[in-house]
Amino acid sequence: MTFNLFRLPVMALVLSISLTSCFHSLKKEPTAADIERESARINKFFEDYFDAVLDRSPEFQTYLGIKKNYDKLGDYSDEFARKELEYTKEALKKLKTFDYAALNEQAQTSYRLFEEMAQDEIDKFKWRFHSYPFNQMFGYHSQMPAFLMNFHRVSDESDAVAYIKRIESLPRQLGQVLDGMKIREQKKIFPPQFAFSKVSEDTENLLKGYPLTDDEKSPHPLYEDFARKLGGIKDLKAERKQQLQERMAKALKEKFKPAYQNFLTYWKALEPKAAKNHGVWSLPEGEEFYRFSLKRTTTTDMTADQIHQLGLDEVARIHGEMRAIMKKVKFKGDLQAFFKHLKEDPKFYLPGGEKGREQYMTSAKRSIASMKDKLPGLFTVKPKAELIVKPVETYREKSAGLAFYEGPSLDGTRPGTYYVNLYDMKGLPTYEIEALAFHEGIPGHHMQIAIATELENLPRFRKFGHYTAYAEGWGLYAEYIPKELGFYTDPYSDFGRLSMELWRACRLVLDTGLHAKKWTREQGIEYLLVNTPSDEREATKAIERYLVMPSQATAYKVGMLKIMELRRKSQQSLGEKFDIRGFHDEILRHGPLPMNILEEKITAWVESKKGV
């Protein structure tokens, strides 16, 4: 889960600001002392703002590793959202009382980012119900249990009590999310129909297991997690542990279970009203919403038509590179036949069951370890936080994504985590192991997110900001970098890299096709089956992801192509003075950035190197 201070997913937290400083505007030409003083003042403004976010965001505190309000859950009501909008407007007003000309370069960048993000949040408020709080990818029903299991640490008795209190608070918070769903119902905003059965199945899975059922040999995921964490408290007496375990069981039976049953009843009654499989064009003001979403996701002014054509062009280019690999491995037949060969030949897949899962995890860890050894040739700055690889929890693995990354805590006590979904080994071909590990782990999301978390002298709102094109563009670029270092020596592994890039190129075509050009779910599935080496299950899951996450899928290629363009221009301009380590450090040392500001930073870096 990546928290974002302004751009907020369902499980993320809403803004809160309480600022009392008195601001002024400098009239004269600023001196060095003026710049130092004004920059210090605005940085205090940013830090006061961030502290206020933390004060009103219990889950965000936990995500950062801060044990404050550890027994509480946040307010997800629309009333709260309206108050937060006013706080955001007030913060934007106060920002404009600073003298931009009297700020140093870093503070000016922070000013621009804060201004843009605040304005974006204000503009986004209109669209706050154009989303699906319950869906198969990241719905509240599955995200909250995952949050407690993955982020709520238990070091002592008070932490254990706090865990229980959060379970006891869950009905209130789930009720608020349900209230928002009922507003969407009135507005005729429903997730596509296919999402209903998947959400129902995940919810039913969370209504199984002891103490919700009588079979003690099959514990509920939260009960099992609590017991494991409780067992790690060394100084707690066995009798007290038993009491806490019993209280947890009571909270699950009397609070968690009725809340989830109530949600499931409502959800199933809602299903007949849902659209069968339409993109957001079918929602009220859906076309305008999609234009807004594309701009936010890509941080560019590209239209849906431009993005669609870019995708078609990239698909054609990558197909050409794939045909070159076909010749290298001496495959007889066309590209479609090669795709079929890759889908059907068992040598490209590990066996199902525990043995295959263990083999996959071992290979993924080996790929990351090998890449880690090569980092000195690519970066001078490396993350302090460790990276671990974990399988997705069993209760949500059937509907969860193929792989994802969660960042480390602010204090370094929780490592970055690369999650792999091992539910269906047919969805994890061996030729993609390297590229997937590089994207989610090193040099991909772990490098970008962990380094941002650890940056010094940078306002915290920037460390934990989020620009999808930047993050996913870097992740996709990180799949390509290892090729230059001698990875992907096996032609099939290099094909795996291309197949993953092809997938992201197809996303440009599909996201715009589904949400702007009114493609059906079935048209989207067919496009993937024809143009990629994916089977029907994998293609279906992908299309269903794009349908519930409009515009998100466009970020990968748009961001990667911008980074590649900036690198190419830098190399052309600097010639022998170009240092790939300096380029990568410059990409990462400012924290997340929109594409236009990233380009400004790289341009300035190039100019600074010309005279060296």
Side-chain angles (χ1 to χ4, degrees):
M1 179 192 309
T2 300
F3 288 93
N4 179 352
L5 303 186
F6 283 96
R7 297 176 169 88
L8 302 173
V10 173
M11 279 296 301
L13 308 175
V14 191
L15 289 174
S16 163
I17 301 177
S18 175
L19 301 164
T20 56
S21 300
C22 180
F23 304 102
H24 66 281
S25 178
L26 300 171
K27 301 296 184 184
K28 61 182 181 178
E29 183 72 21
T31 64
D34 291 332
I35 291 173
E36 182 179 358
R37 182 168 52 252
E38 191 74 348
S39 299
R41 287 200 324 113
I42 199 169
N43 282 324
K44 183 178 185 303
F45 165 85
F46 293 139
E47 292 310 290
D48 287 346
Y49 152 76
F50 193 87
D51 286 336
V53 170
L54 289 180
D55 283 344
R56 294 170 65 94
S57 306
E59 291 96 332
F60 193 21
Q61 292 165 25
T62 301
Y63 173 76
L64 296 183
I66 299 169
K67 291 186 177 180
K68 183 179 179 181
N69 295 314
Y70 212 43
D71 60 347
K72 295 179 175 61
L73 295 177
D75 189 336
Y76 287 7
S77 67
D78 192 52
E79 178 185 4
F80 183 81
R82 290 178 180 278
K83 290 178 182 177
E84 297 309 304
L85 175 66
E86 296 308 312
Y87 283 124
T88 305
K89 289 178 178 178
E90 184 64 23
L92 190 56
K93 280 184 190 176
K94 290 182 177 178
L95 177 77
K96 293 180 184 298
T97 65
F98 290 95
D99 187 343
Y100 181 82
L103 300 174
N104 62 33
E105 180 186 354
Q106 192 69 277
Q108 285 183 340
T109 299
S110 297
Y111 182 109
R112 291 174 64 193
L113 291 172
F114 193 97
E115 181 181 39
E116 179 187 292
M117 290 191 294
Q119 187 59 57
D120 181 74
E121 181 67 9
I122 292 166
D123 295 342
K124 191 190 75 168
F125 189 76
K126 171 184 177 180
W127 306 109
R128 69 193 183 281
F129 295 115
H130 278 65
S131 61
Y132 310 126
F134 301 101
N135 65 74
Q136 78 280 9
M137 294 298 301
F138 55 83
Y140 176 93
H141 61 292
S142 61
Q143 201 84 342
M144 179 49 74
F147 169 79
L148 288 170
M149 288 189 284
N150 293 319
F151 296 105
H152 189 109
R153 293 176 292 138
V154 175
S155 303
D156 55 33
E157 181 178 345
S158 66
D159 294 344
V161 172
Y163 195 133
I164 295 168
K165 286 185 176 180
R166 281 181 154 170
I167 296 292
E168 292 170 343
S169 297
L170 192 144
R172 184 266 306 163
Q173 193 181 65
L174 176 55
Q176 290 173 337
V177 182
L178 267 179
D179 288 343
M181 192 67 225
K182 290 171 183 175
I183 294 173
R184 289 170 175 82
E185 182 181 358
Q186 294 169 3
K187 292 177 175 290
K188 309 296 183 187
I189 296 174
F190 306 104
Q193 200 168 49
F194 63 77
F196 281 83
S197 61
K198 298 178 187 301
V199 169
S200 293
E201 185 174 354
D202 284 350
T203 305
E204 287 163 355
N205 287 339
L206 285 164
L207 286 168
K208 297 175 184 176
Y210 185 82
L212 305 189
T213 54
D214 294 331
D215 185 5
E216 294 188 36
K217 293 182 180 179
S218 299
H220 189 275
L222 286 167
Y223 186 80
E224 185 177 40
D225 179 64
F226 183 77
R228 179 181 58 79
K229 290 174 178 175
L230 199 61
I233 305 176
K234 296 179 181 179
D235 300 328
L236 195 61
K237 293 181 179 179
E239 182 181 355
R240 181 56 179 153
K241 287 184 180 180
Q242 181 62 31
Q243 290 173 349
L244 289 168
Q245 195 75 11
E246 290 173 359
R247 182 176 168 186
M248 178 61 163
K250 182 179 180 182
L252 286 170
K253 285 190 290 187
E254 297 182 3
K255 300 293 185 179
F256 182 93
K257 184 177 181 179
Y260 268 63
Q261 286 176 327
N262 177 59
F263 160 64
L264 190 61
T265 299
Y266 169 79
W267 186 249
K268 289 186 173 182
L270 188 66
E271 182 172 3
K273 301 179 182 181
K276 186 178 180 183
N277 57 24
H278 297 316
V280 295
W281 61 264
S282 63
L283 301 181
E285 300 181 275
E287 293 181 3
E288 183 185 351
F289 168 65
Y290 188 58
R291 285 193 294 272
F292 176 78
S293 299
L294 280 180
K295 186 175 180 63
R296 293 180 70 244
T297 295
T298 66
T299 65
T300 73
D301 292 321
M302 295 181 72
T303 65
D305 284 341
Q306 289 172 326
I307 292 171
H308 192 84
Q309 186 59 50
L310 177 63
L312 293 173
D313 294 342
E314 282 294 288
V315 168
R317 177 188 64 79
I318 297 167
H319 279 172
E321 292 190 31
M322 287 179 157
R323 291 187 180 96
I325 289 180
M326 284 170 51
K327 291 181 181 178
K328 187 179 291 188
V329 299
K330 299 179 180 179
F331 181 83
K332 304 298 182 184
D334 61 14
L335 191 58
Q336 291 300 320
F338 194 51
F339 288 164
K340 187 173 186 293
H341 166 63
L342 291 167
K343 282 187 280 190
E344 296 179 356
D345 193 326
K347 76 178 181 181
F348 297 117
Y349 301 90
L350 294 171
E354 197 58 35
K355 182 180 178 181
R357 294 161 74 100
E358 288 179 4
Q359 285 181 276
Y360 190 94
M361 293 292 283
T362 299
S363 295
K365 291 174 183 177
R366 186 186 303 121
S367 295
I368 288 171
S370 298
M371 187 66 222
K372 196 172 182 180
D373 292 338
K374 300 286 187 179
L375 290 183
L378 293 173
F379 306 88
T380 59
V381 178
K382 293 178 280 296
K384 298 172 186 174
E386 291 297 320
L387 172 69
I388 61 173
V389 187
K390 288 176 63 175
V392 173
E393 300 88 354
T394 55
Y395 77 86
R396 60 173 177 155
E397 64 180 358
K398 188 173 180 180
S399 60
L402 186 66
F404 50 92
Y405 172 82
E406 287 179 347
S409 59
L410 191 61
D411 62 3
T413 56
R414 186 187 69 245
T417 305
Y418 162 31
Y419 282 91
V420 187
N421 193 337
L422 302 174
Y423 175 75
D424 179 12
M425 298 309 293
K426 279 289 287 181
L428 293 166
T430 55
Y431 54 77
E432 290 182 354
I433 291 176
E434 280 189 299
L436 193 58
F438 297 149
H439 179 105
E440 301 294 348
I442 293 173
H445 287 322
H446 183 63
M447 290 292 293
Q448 180 253 308
I449 293 173
I451 286 175
T453 302
E454 296 163 6
L455 287 172
E456 297 179 358
N457 302 318
L458 197 70
R460 285 173 292 171
F461 88 89
R462 285 178 58 182
K463 293 183 182 184
F464 297 99
H466 184 71
Y467 296 92
T468 311
Y470 173 88
E472 297 302 351
W474 175 263
L476 186 50
Y477 172 71
E479 294 176 22
Y480 170 76
I481 299 170
K483 183 173 174 60
E484 300 178 326
L485 298 177
F487 288 86
Y488 306 117
T489 52
D490 179 353
Y492 286 105
S493 185
D494 197 26
F495 182 89
R497 175 189 66 82
L498 285 171
S499 73
M500 289 183 62
E501 187 181 1
L502 174 65
W503 194 265
R504 277 48 166 268
C506 288
R507 285 177 175 176
L508 299 179
V509 178
L510 290 163
D511 199 286
T512 52
L514 292 164
H515 295 296
K517 297 182 178 297
K518 302 184 179 182
W519 286 18
T520 66
R521 170 176 171 271
E522 290 69 30
Q523 280 178 282
I525 293 168
E526 180 63 21
Y527 183 85
L528 277 179
L529 291 176
V530 170
N531 287 284
T532 70
S534 57
D535 60 24
E536 188 166 359
R537 180 186 175 278
E538 187 180 15
T540 300
K541 196 169 185 178
I543 296 303
E544 291 177 348
R545 165 186 167 167
Y546 309 151
L547 281 165
V548 300
M549 299 173 68
S551 82
Q552 193 270 349
T554 63
Y556 299 76
K557 281 298 292 185
V558 170
M560 179 209 190
L561 290 173
K562 173 55 72 174
I563 293 171
M564 295 288 281
E565 174 196 329
L566 294 175
R567 176 175 160 174
R568 184 171 59 254
K569 288 180 177 178
S570 299
Q571 287 175 308
Q572 290 171 350
S573 183
L574 292 174
E576 292 182 357
K577 291 183 177 181
F578 178 79
D579 179 1
I580 191 66
R581 296 173 302 170
F583 175 77
H584 290 155
D585 289 348
E586 190 65 20
I587 292 280
L588 300 180
R589 78 178 184 89
H590 302 283
L593 296 172
M595 293 296 101
N596 63 318
I597 294 182
L598 178 64
E599 184 163 10
E600 289 177 16
K601 295 298 181 185
I602 295 299
T603 300
W605 174 77
V606 168
E607 290 302 310
S608 73
K609 294 299 176 185
K610 283 183 177 179
V612 175

